[in-house]
Amino acid sequence: MANDLTRRNDWLDDPFFNDLGRHIFDSLTPSRSDDTSRLLKTDIQENEKSYVVKVDVPGIEKPNINLSYDHGVLSVAVKHEEQADHSDNKGNLLMSERSYGRMSRSYQLPNVDEGKISAKVTDGVLTIDLPKMTSEQIENHQITID
């Protein structure tokens, strides 16, 4: 009798059934693509010499991060691919899941010396240093109309 009870409760350790409720209700809650405020959490600090932008990118590898600065706008785009196989305690494949996503955000940060922008990723945080142009550099960009 104990064996019958054990067999009937094997589904409790099954990842498919453990996640079933979460998957059923996914369609009733806003998806991440609908609520971009939760994505790419960002801190921006400004001082006299630069802007320092910190973006949370946990689990995103450096080749999957794209940065650009154009006309006073910093754009950050990331993509994430994941594959997970779920097996039972006997090694039988029960489910194989794949997910893929892209996220991007843009920030208006004027008067940046584009040639001196630097970036690094450490412990899931992307740090971008955007040095400001000096007043001399800004003046050099003015155009006189003849």
Side-chain angles (χ1 to χ4, degrees):
M1 182 93 144
N3 287 339
D4 289 340
L5 183 58
T6 303
R7 273 186 254 139
R8 279 186 277 183
N9 290 330
D10 279 346
W11 63 273
L12 292 174
D13 294 324
D14 185 337
F16 175 76
F17 289 106
N18 288 341
D19 293 338
L20 185 61
R22 181 172 50 92
H23 292 298
I24 288 173
F25 295 107
D26 280 350
S27 62
L28 300 176
T29 59
S31 70
R32 290 183 180 254
S33 62
D34 294 337
D35 183 9
T36 57
S37 66
R38 296 186 291 168
L39 305 175
L40 297 177
K41 294 284 190 185
T42 305
D43 294 323
I44 300 175
Q45 296 176 331
E46 179 182 11
N47 58 46
E48 292 176 14
K49 296 182 180 184
S50 67
Y51 300 100
V52 177
V53 178
K54 293 185 178 188
V55 182
D56 290 347
V57 291
I60 308 294
E61 295 181 19
K62 201 170 12 175
N64 293 329
I65 300 172
N66 186 359
L67 298 175
S68 65
Y69 184 83
D70 188 33
H71 293 92
V73 177
L74 172 68
S75 296
V76 179
V78 300
K79 68 179 180 178
H80 181 70
E81 299 175 12
E82 186 175 354
Q83 180 173 349
D85 292 334
H86 300 283
S87 303
D88 64 10
N89 57 1
K90 296 177 186 172
N92 298 318
L93 182 65
L94 298 174
M95 179 175 46
S96 180
E97 293 182 302
R98 287 169 215 75
S99 64
Y100 179 82
R102 291 180 183 260
M103 298 173 273
S104 64
R105 289 193 70 182
S106 296
Y107 314 90
Q108 188 167 2
L109 302 168
N111 301 323
V112 170
D113 187 350
E114 295 180 38
K116 294 184 179 179
I117 296 173
S118 63
K120 65 180 178 179
V121 178
T122 306
D123 297 328
V125 177
L126 171 65
T127 303
I128 310 158
D129 185 45
L130 300 106
K132 293 180 183 178
M133 289 189 284
T134 63
S135 59
E136 297 154 5
Q137 290 172 309
I138 294 170
E139 289 173 11
N140 289 338
H141 283 84
Q142 295 195 5
I143 299 170
T144 304
I145 300 174
D146 295 325

